[in-house]
Amino acid sequence: DGHLLRIALFMESRTRLDHLVRLLPRERLVNAVLLATDPDNDLMLEVIALLGNLGYELKHQLGDLAASQPASVLDRIIQVAEEHQLWPDLIPVIAELSPATQQRLLELPVLQQQPDILGHIITAADQHGLWSRLLPLVGMMEPALLRQVGKQAALLDRQAIGRAMEAALTTEQWQALVKVAQHLPAQRQRDIADFIEGYGKVDPALRQRLVTLAENNGLQALFA
């Protein structure tokens, strides 16, 4: 089963992975994931690569299975993803997990203890067009983690803020964006206000809705 994971990592065409995985008995898939999450093995890289190339249903099933392991295993998944900068693969996987599993991942102490990880996650989301997958997770974060996200997001430039705004526009994730905006420096907050004013030239009702949301979250000074 460990060999199966290694083979998946080196397949030239991963478009058939879903088909191949579905051919395997579920107990073998379970065993492969358990092998990968066992600290005595060195297969975590392989299982992250496999999960990143599966379709929605299998991402959800196998991702939840991997994430149901003890907190030490989840911590190791995060550390391997950070070491190899696998966030473009892992963000879509996390986005497909059940809400309870997502919350469990967001509560891992490592995210608080190593804020650079959050910075790398944000950078990956921006560079790989994954804001729409990341923003729902941001919306689930507790205030302490949101503050850390705000510190890392403060390093983004205006163009990156614009890309995050576009993702919020297309997915209606404004609440998550406003939660982060509360922890951004004044310049980045003004960037957000400028984009909202730009949207208002096309859709005044949207502008009013976003201004109200911002004001209800302590950002009324931006539109005074």
Side-chain angles (χ1 to χ4, degrees):
D1 292 332
H3 292 317
L4 287 175
L5 293 173
R6 293 191 176 94
I7 290 168
L9 180 64
F10 292 104
M11 284 180 65
E12 290 185 11
S13 174
R14 296 184 181 175
T15 58
R16 302 294 302 278
L17 269 177
D18 271 39
H19 175 67
L20 294 175
V21 169
R22 290 179 191 279
L23 292 176
L24 296 173
R26 178 169 175 78
E27 58 269 19
R28 291 203 67 186
L29 290 176
V30 171
N31 191 47
V33 172
L34 293 178
L35 276 173
T37 55
D38 187 335
D40 292 331
N41 294 310
D42 189 23
L43 294 167
M44 194 65 73
L45 183 61
E46 285 81 353
V47 82
I48 292 174
L50 174 64
L51 289 172
N53 286 278
L54 293 175
Y56 165 79
E57 183 181 351
L58 286 173
K59 268 189 176 74
H60 182 89
Q61 292 178 4
L62 297 186
D64 268 356
L65 177 61
S68 68
Q69 304 307 305
S72 60
V73 173
L74 301 185
D75 184 84
R76 185 161 171 261
I77 292 173
I78 297 297
Q79 296 289 4
V80 170
E82 175 68 5
E83 179 183 353
H84 297 277
Q85 288 303 296
L86 296 175
W87 299 116
D89 291 323
L90 201 56
I91 291 171
V93 175
I94 296 173
E96 303 295 357
L97 300 178
S98 65
T101 303
Q102 290 172 339
Q103 194 65 58
R104 188 163 175 247
L105 286 169
L106 293 174
E107 292 171 357
L108 289 175
V110 67
L111 295 179
Q112 286 276 3
Q113 296 163 358
Q114 299 183 41
D116 283 353
I117 292 177
L118 291 172
H120 294 150
I121 291 172
I122 291 169
T123 299
D126 184 51
Q127 293 180 347
H128 295 271
L130 295 171
W131 281 115
S132 63
R133 315 307 302 276
L134 183 60
L135 285 174
L137 299 171
V138 171
M140 299 173 65
M141 292 179 180
E142 296 296 327
L145 194 58
L146 277 173
R147 285 192 291 272
Q148 294 289 352
V149 169
K151 290 179 181 178
Q152 297 298 322
L155 303 176
L156 298 174
D157 58 21
R158 180 182 173 87
Q159 289 73 28
I161 294 295
R163 289 188 287 271
M165 295 282 289
E166 286 297 315
L169 177 65
T170 57
T171 61
E172 279 295 314
Q173 290 293 330
W174 295 113
Q175 186 67 48
L177 193 68
V178 168
K179 283 184 175 182
V180 175
Q182 293 173 312
H183 303 287
L184 291 177
Q187 181 57 59
R188 295 285 79 86
Q189 289 181 346
R190 285 193 294 271
D191 288 337
I192 290 175
D194 287 346
F195 282 114
I196 290 175
E197 294 294 355
Y199 294 150
K201 295 176 182 178
V202 178
D203 188 344
L206 173 64
R207 176 197 178 276
Q208 186 53 55
R209 181 159 62 91
L210 297 181
V211 169
T212 300
L213 178 63
E215 290 176 344
N216 290 342
N217 285 272
L219 299 173
Q220 54 266 43
L222 293 178
F223 303 97

